Amino acid sequence: MTLKNVAERAGVSVSTASRALNGQARKYRISRTTEKAVRKVADDLGFQASQVARSLRLKRSGLIGVIVPDVSNPFFASIARQVSLGVEASGFSVLLGDSREETAIEQRLARQLRAKQVEALLVCPVGVSCDHLIQLDRAGLPVVVVDRVFEGIELPCVTSDNLQAARELAEVLIRAGHRRIGVLSGVRESLPAKTRLQGLRTAAEQAGFTIGPSYVAGDAFTEQSGYDATQELLDRHPDLTAIFAMCNPAAIGAIRALHERGYTIPGDCSVVAFDDHPSADLMKTPLTVAVQDISRLGRLATDVLLERLDLQPTGHQVDATASSPSVQGVTARSNSDRWQVPTTLLKRASVAEPCR
Amino acid sequence: MTLKNVAERAGVSVSTASRALNGQARKYRISRTTEKAVRKVADDLGFQASQVARSLRLKRSGLIGVIVPDVSNPFFASIARQVSLGVEASGFSVLLGDSREETAIEQRLARQLRAKQVEALLVCPVGVSCDHLIQLDRAGLPVVVVDRVFEGIELPCVTSDNLQAARELAEVLIRAGHRRIGVLSGVRESLPAKTRLQGLRTAAEQAGFTIGPSYVAGDAFTEQSGYDATQELLDRHPDLTAIFAMCNPAAIGAIRALHERGYTIPGDCSVVAFDDHPSADLMKTPLTVAVQDISRLGRLATDVLLERLDLQPTGHQVDATASSPSVQGVTARSNSDRWQVPTTLLKRASVAEPCR
DNA sequence: GGGCAATGCACAATCGTTTGTGCTCTGTCC
DNA sequence: GGACAGAGCACAAACGATTGTGCATTGCCC
C-alpha cells in the first residue's frame, strides 16, 4: 500500500493524495469532494504512510533513543516508560538500548541509534566518562542525561536533589546519635555518588564530626557492591553503628551481609538508603529511605528533551528549576543546565539509637 | 554527512563509495586502492549511512516492535531486555511500546509501529482479544505473542509451562492437607489464567476434591486485584485455608489483605504464587512460588522471532519443543506453534498444614 | 468577448541509499 | 595493429513520501 496506489485508485495525482491526507487540502485548494474521496480510498485500503519515506523526505525520524544500563532494573524501566509515554503524544517512538553497565556498549548503542536517525538521545550513562555523548550533542544530536550525571558534563542533566536528600537521610542517623557511619558508595566518580557523600558530610560537620575515607566503600550501584562494601567496612570498623547506602540494591546487599554476620537491624546496626522498594512494608527490615520521584524524573527528562526539540512539553510543565547558574564556564548554551527533582524522606524501622 | 560527500571527497561516484563501504568492492571490481581511499574518507568524516534512506531502498527497517502492558513491571522489562539484547547482534533495534494494560492503546501502538515499518512485532497482549494482531500477521507482519496467550490465537506463542507449574504448586498445598483453596485469578480469558486453573483443578481431582467457581476471584494480574479478590474470597469462605495466586503482585495484595484481617501466614492461611520476587528471602513472608524463567522466555521469543524473519537465532538454540500438534485446524502454518519454557518450584515458609 | 482572478489539480525535484547496466580504458595476443 | 577480455568505475533508476511551481479551467466584470 503506497500513496501511489491510493492516488491511482482515487483518480488523482500522488501530490494531491498526499495533501488530502495531511490536512493540507485547504492550503493547496483541493476540493472537499476530492479530499473525501481520497480519504475514503485510503481508509478502504488501510493505507498507512511509510514513516521511512516520510522520514527521509522530512529529515525527521520520529524516533527518540533511550539508553539505560539495565532495563530490567525497575528504576530505569520506569524512566524508559515515562519517556515512552511522554513522547508518544508528539508522535515519537522510543528506540531502546541496554548498555549492560558497560561504556563500550553504550558507545556502540549511541552510534547505532544515531545511524537510525534518532532525533534525540536520553541516556543514563554507566561509566565515568561520556565524551562520546558530548560529541554527539556537539554534532547536533540533542542529548539529555538522567540520573548518572558527571561533573562538568556540558549536557542538560536531570537528577534528584541528591544533596538535600542525603542531608535529610543523614540527619535521621545523626539525630539518633550515630557517629560511626559506614557509606556504601555507588560509582565514585558519578555526580550522584559525590553529591550524596557531600550531603552526608555536610550534615556530619554541622553535628561536629567527620566521616573519614575509610568509612566509605563500594564502587557500583549494585547489590553485590553493597554486600562486599559492607563486609569491608565491618572488617575495618567493627564498631560501626550505621550504614548509609547510596542505592536500594546496595542496601539489600548490606542487609544480607549484616545478617550473615549475625548483626540485627537496627539493633546492632542501623541502615538508611536511597530509593524505595515497591513492597518495602512487607520486608523483614523496613528501610528508612530517601525516595526519588522516578516518574517525575522521567517526565522532567522527557520535557527537557522535547524542549530541546522545540516541541511543546507534554502538558505537565517543567516545574523544576535550573539550579547551577553556569557550569565550568564553556559556552553559555542551555545545555549546561541542571534540573533537579525533590525527594521524599520515608522513615521506617531500620534506624534506632546506637547501642555501642 | 551523506554518502555523496564521502564520494566527492574521495573523488569517486556515489555508487562506488557505497559498494566500497558495504564490502561489495570485490564483486563489483572496485580496486583495493579505491576501496581503502573511500574507507579512509568515510572514517575521517565520521560517516554513518542513513538507516532511513537505506531502509527505504532495501525495504528493511532493522526495527523490531515490542509491546508490553507495563515496562516498569520487571517481568515485562526483562522480556524487553532479552529481546533488545537478542536482536541487537542481527543489527536490529527495539521500538518500545507500553500499552498501559489497555487494548485500545495496544492497537494504536501496533498501528504506529507498523507505520514505522517494524519488521516484526513481539507482543504481550493485555486483553481478551487480539484480532488486530492476527490481522497484522496476516498482512505480512510477523507477530509473536508472549506470556498472555489466548486460545486459538493462530499466532506463534511463547509461554511458561503453566500447566505443569500450577500442578506442582498445587501439590505443595494439597500434600500439606489443604482442601479449601482460594484462587486469585489473573485475566480470566487469558490462557495463562485458564491453564493455571486447570493445572490446579487437575491436581485437586487427583487428590479427590474439586475447587468450585466460588473459590475463584479476581480478574487482573495486579496487586489491587489480588487484594480485592482475597477480601471477596474470605467473605465468601471464612474457612479458607490457603490461597493460590496467579501472579506475584496478586500474592502481595493477598498478603496485605490477610494482614489487615489479622490472619497470619502460614498459620491461618497458606499462600503460594506464580513468579518470584528478587529479594523474596528478605520478606516477612517468604512465598512458595513457581518461578518462570523470564530471561529464557525472552530469549526463546526472540529466537522464534528471528526464525520467522529467516535469520539465524542468536546462538542459544531454540531448545523448547513445539507442544500442541496443531491448533483449531486453520492453515497449517508454523504460526499455530506453541513454545513452552519449564518453571522452577521454590518452596518457602508460606505453606503449613491447615489448622482449621 | 477579452482580461483577470480564483480554483483545482498535476509535474517534477528532492531526501540518501542501493544496484543493474553500460561505458571507457589498459594490456595481451595473434 | 586490431580484436577482445577484463578491470574499474560512472550513470541512472528505483524506494515512497513531501512540496514549490505551473498549467488548465471556470466565473465574473466591464
Short mmCIF file of all heavy atoms in Angstrom, two decimals, chain B residues 3 15 18-19 28 54 57, chain C residues 16-22:
data_model
loop_
_atom_site.label_atom_id
_atom_site.label_comp_id
_atom_site.label_asym_id
_atom_site.label_seq_id
_atom_site.Cartn_x
_atom_site.Cartn_y
_atom_site.Cartn_z
N LEU B 3 26.54 10.07 1.83
CA LEU B 3 27.44 9.27 1.01
C LEU B 3 28.01 10.12 -0.12
O LEU B 3 29.16 9.95 -0.54
CB LEU B 3 26.64 8.10 0.43
CG LEU B 3 27.45 6.98 -0.22
CD1 LEU B 3 28.49 6.48 0.74
CD2 LEU B 3 26.52 5.86 -0.64
N SER B 15 27.97 5.52 -6.23
CA SER B 15 27.79 4.06 -6.28
C SER B 15 29.07 3.35 -5.85
O SER B 15 29.02 2.39 -5.09
CB SER B 15 27.37 3.63 -7.68
OG SER B 15 28.20 4.21 -8.65
N SER B 18 29.44 3.58 -2.14
CA SER B 18 28.52 2.66 -1.48
C SER B 18 29.08 1.25 -1.47
O SER B 18 29.18 0.60 -0.42
CB SER B 18 27.17 2.68 -2.20
OG SER B 18 26.35 1.64 -1.74
N ARG B 19 29.49 0.80 -2.63
CA ARG B 19 29.99 -0.57 -2.71
C ARG B 19 31.27 -0.75 -1.91
O ARG B 19 31.48 -1.79 -1.27
CB ARG B 19 30.22 -0.93 -4.16
CG ARG B 19 28.90 -0.91 -4.94
CD ARG B 19 29.01 -1.61 -6.27
NE ARG B 19 28.84 -0.67 -7.36
CZ ARG B 19 27.78 -0.68 -8.19
NH1 ARG B 19 26.82 -1.56 -8.03
NH2 ARG B 19 27.71 0.19 -9.16
N TYR B 28 32.13 -5.98 -7.40
CA TYR B 28 31.95 -5.00 -8.47
C TYR B 28 33.27 -4.45 -8.96
O TYR B 28 33.35 -3.36 -9.50
CB TYR B 28 31.03 -3.88 -7.99
CG TYR B 28 29.59 -4.32 -7.91
CD1 TYR B 28 29.06 -4.80 -6.74
CD2 TYR B 28 28.80 -4.27 -9.05
CE1 TYR B 28 27.75 -5.22 -6.68
CE2 TYR B 28 27.48 -4.69 -9.01
CZ TYR B 28 26.96 -5.17 -7.82
OH TYR B 28 25.66 -5.59 -7.77
N ARG B 54 18.52 3.94 3.63
CA ARG B 54 18.82 2.53 3.40
C ARG B 54 17.57 1.67 3.56
O ARG B 54 17.31 0.77 2.76
CB ARG B 54 19.89 2.17 4.43
CG ARG B 54 20.20 0.74 4.59
CD ARG B 54 21.30 0.63 5.63
NE ARG B 54 22.57 0.57 4.98
CZ ARG B 54 23.29 -0.56 4.95
NH1 ARG B 54 22.83 -1.62 5.56
NH2 ARG B 54 24.42 -0.60 4.32
N ARG B 57 15.28 2.06 0.59
CA ARG B 57 15.75 1.33 -0.58
C ARG B 57 15.62 -0.19 -0.39
O ARG B 57 15.13 -0.90 -1.24
CB ARG B 57 17.20 1.71 -0.82
CG ARG B 57 17.89 1.02 -1.96
CD ARG B 57 17.26 1.36 -3.29
NE ARG B 57 17.07 0.16 -4.07
CZ ARG B 57 17.59 -0.04 -5.27
NH1 ARG B 57 18.25 0.91 -5.87
NH2 ARG B 57 17.41 -1.16 -5.90
P DG C 16 20.16 14.22 2.17
OP1 DG C 16 20.72 14.74 3.43
OP2 DG C 16 20.55 14.80 0.88
"O5'" DG C 16 20.46 12.66 2.10
"C5'" DG C 16 20.15 11.87 3.24
"C4'" DG C 16 20.37 10.42 2.89
"O4'" DG C 16 19.48 10.06 1.82
"C3'" DG C 16 21.77 10.10 2.39
"O3'" DG C 16 22.18 8.90 3.02
"C2'" DG C 16 21.59 9.92 0.89
"C1'" DG C 16 20.19 9.35 0.83
N9 DG C 16 19.48 9.57 -0.42
C8 DG C 16 19.58 10.65 -1.25
N7 DG C 16 18.80 10.56 -2.31
C5 DG C 16 18.15 9.34 -2.16
C6 DG C 16 17.20 8.71 -2.99
O6 DG C 16 16.71 9.11 -4.05
N1 DG C 16 16.79 7.49 -2.47
C2 DG C 16 17.26 6.95 -1.28
N2 DG C 16 16.76 5.76 -0.93
N3 DG C 16 18.15 7.53 -0.50
C4 DG C 16 18.56 8.73 -1.00
P DT C 17 23.68 8.38 2.92
OP1 DT C 17 24.30 8.55 4.21
OP2 DT C 17 24.33 8.93 1.72
"O5'" DT C 17 23.44 6.81 2.73
"C5'" DT C 17 23.30 6.32 1.43
"C4'" DT C 17 22.29 5.22 1.43
"O4'" DT C 17 21.16 5.72 0.70
"C3'" DT C 17 22.81 4.00 0.69
"O3'" DT C 17 22.85 2.89 1.58
"C2'" DT C 17 21.83 3.76 -0.44
"C1'" DT C 17 20.79 4.87 -0.34
N1 DT C 17 20.69 5.69 -1.58
C2 DT C 17 19.83 5.27 -2.57
O2 DT C 17 19.16 4.26 -2.50
N3 DT C 17 19.79 6.08 -3.67
C4 DT C 17 20.50 7.24 -3.87
O4 DT C 17 20.37 7.90 -4.91
C5 DT C 17 21.39 7.62 -2.79
C7 DT C 17 22.20 8.87 -2.91
C6 DT C 17 21.44 6.84 -1.71
P DT C 18 23.75 1.68 1.07
OP1 DT C 18 23.74 0.72 2.17
OP2 DT C 18 25.02 2.18 0.53
"O5'" DT C 18 22.91 1.08 -0.14
"C5'" DT C 18 21.79 0.26 0.14
"C4'" DT C 18 21.19 -0.23 -1.15
"O4'" DT C 18 21.00 0.87 -2.06
"C3'" DT C 18 22.05 -1.25 -1.92
"O3'" DT C 18 21.18 -2.30 -2.29
"C2'" DT C 18 22.55 -0.48 -3.13
"C1'" DT C 18 21.41 0.51 -3.36
N1 DT C 18 21.75 1.78 -4.06
C2 DT C 18 21.01 2.12 -5.17
O2 DT C 18 20.13 1.43 -5.63
N3 DT C 18 21.36 3.33 -5.74
C4 DT C 18 22.34 4.21 -5.30
O4 DT C 18 22.55 5.26 -5.90
C5 DT C 18 23.07 3.78 -4.13
C7 DT C 18 24.14 4.65 -3.59
C6 DT C 18 22.74 2.60 -3.58
P DT C 19 21.78 -3.72 -2.72
OP1 DT C 19 20.83 -4.73 -2.24
OP2 DT C 19 23.20 -3.75 -2.33
"O5'" DT C 19 21.70 -3.68 -4.31
"C5'" DT C 19 20.48 -3.27 -4.92
"C4'" DT C 19 20.69 -3.14 -6.43
"O4'" DT C 19 21.08 -1.79 -6.75
"C3'" DT C 19 21.79 -4.04 -7.03
"O3'" DT C 19 21.32 -4.50 -8.28
"C2'" DT C 19 22.94 -3.08 -7.23
"C1'" DT C 19 22.17 -1.83 -7.64
N1 DT C 19 22.90 -0.56 -7.49
C2 DT C 19 22.54 0.50 -8.30
O2 DT C 19 21.65 0.43 -9.12
N3 DT C 19 23.26 1.65 -8.10
C4 DT C 19 24.29 1.84 -7.19
O4 DT C 19 24.84 2.91 -7.11
C5 DT C 19 24.61 0.69 -6.39
C7 DT C 19 25.70 0.78 -5.37
C6 DT C 19 23.92 -0.43 -6.58
P DG C 20 21.70 -5.94 -8.78
OP1 DG C 20 20.84 -6.90 -8.08
OP2 DG C 20 23.17 -6.07 -8.74
"O5'" DG C 20 21.25 -5.87 -10.31
"C5'" DG C 20 19.94 -5.39 -10.64
"C4'" DG C 20 19.95 -4.69 -11.99
"O4'" DG C 20 20.58 -3.39 -11.86
"C3'" DG C 20 20.72 -5.42 -13.08
"O3'" DG C 20 20.04 -5.23 -14.32
"C2'" DG C 20 22.08 -4.73 -13.09
"C1'" DG C 20 21.70 -3.30 -12.72
N9 DG C 20 22.73 -2.59 -11.98
C8 DG C 20 23.46 -3.06 -10.92
N7 DG C 20 24.31 -2.18 -10.45
C5 DG C 20 24.13 -1.07 -11.25
C6 DG C 20 24.77 0.20 -11.22
O6 DG C 20 25.64 0.59 -10.45
N1 DG C 20 24.28 1.05 -12.22
C2 DG C 20 23.30 0.71 -13.12
N2 DG C 20 22.96 1.64 -14.00
N3 DG C 20 22.70 -0.47 -13.16
C4 DG C 20 23.15 -1.30 -12.20
P DT C 21 20.55 -5.98 -15.60
OP1 DT C 21 19.34 -6.28 -16.37
OP2 DT C 21 21.52 -7.02 -15.22
"O5'" DT C 21 21.33 -4.80 -16.33
"C5'" DT C 21 20.69 -3.54 -16.47
"C4'" DT C 21 21.66 -2.54 -17.06
"O4'" DT C 21 22.59 -2.06 -16.06
"C3'" DT C 21 22.52 -3.05 -18.21
"O3'" DT C 21 22.34 -2.17 -19.31
"C2'" DT C 21 23.93 -3.02 -17.67
"C1'" DT C 21 23.84 -1.88 -16.67
N1 DT C 21 24.86 -1.87 -15.59
C2 DT C 21 25.57 -0.71 -15.38
O2 DT C 21 25.41 0.30 -16.03
N3 DT C 21 26.49 -0.79 -14.35
C4 DT C 21 26.75 -1.90 -13.55
O4 DT C 21 27.60 -1.83 -12.67
C5 DT C 21 25.97 -3.07 -13.83
C7 DT C 21 26.16 -4.29 -13.03
C6 DT C 21 25.07 -3.00 -14.83
P DG C 22 22.94 -2.53 -20.73
OP1 DG C 22 21.84 -2.37 -21.70
OP2 DG C 22 23.71 -3.79 -20.64
"O5'" DG C 22 23.96 -1.32 -20.96
"C5'" DG C 22 23.59 0.01 -20.58
"C4'" DG C 22 24.85 0.86 -20.54
"O4'" DG C 22 25.59 0.58 -19.32
"C3'" DG C 22 25.80 0.58 -21.70
"O3'" DG C 22 26.37 1.80 -22.13
"C2'" DG C 22 26.86 -0.31 -21.06
"C1'" DG C 22 26.93 0.29 -19.67
N9 DG C 22 27.49 -0.61 -18.67
C8 DG C 22 27.23 -1.95 -18.52
N7 DG C 22 27.88 -2.50 -17.53
C5 DG C 22 28.63 -1.46 -16.99
C6 DG C 22 29.52 -1.44 -15.91
O6 DG C 22 29.85 -2.38 -15.19
N1 DG C 22 30.06 -0.17 -15.70
C2 DG C 22 29.75 0.94 -16.44
N2 DG C 22 30.37 2.06 -16.09
N3 DG C 22 28.91 0.94 -17.46
C4 DG C 22 28.38 -0.28 -17.68
#
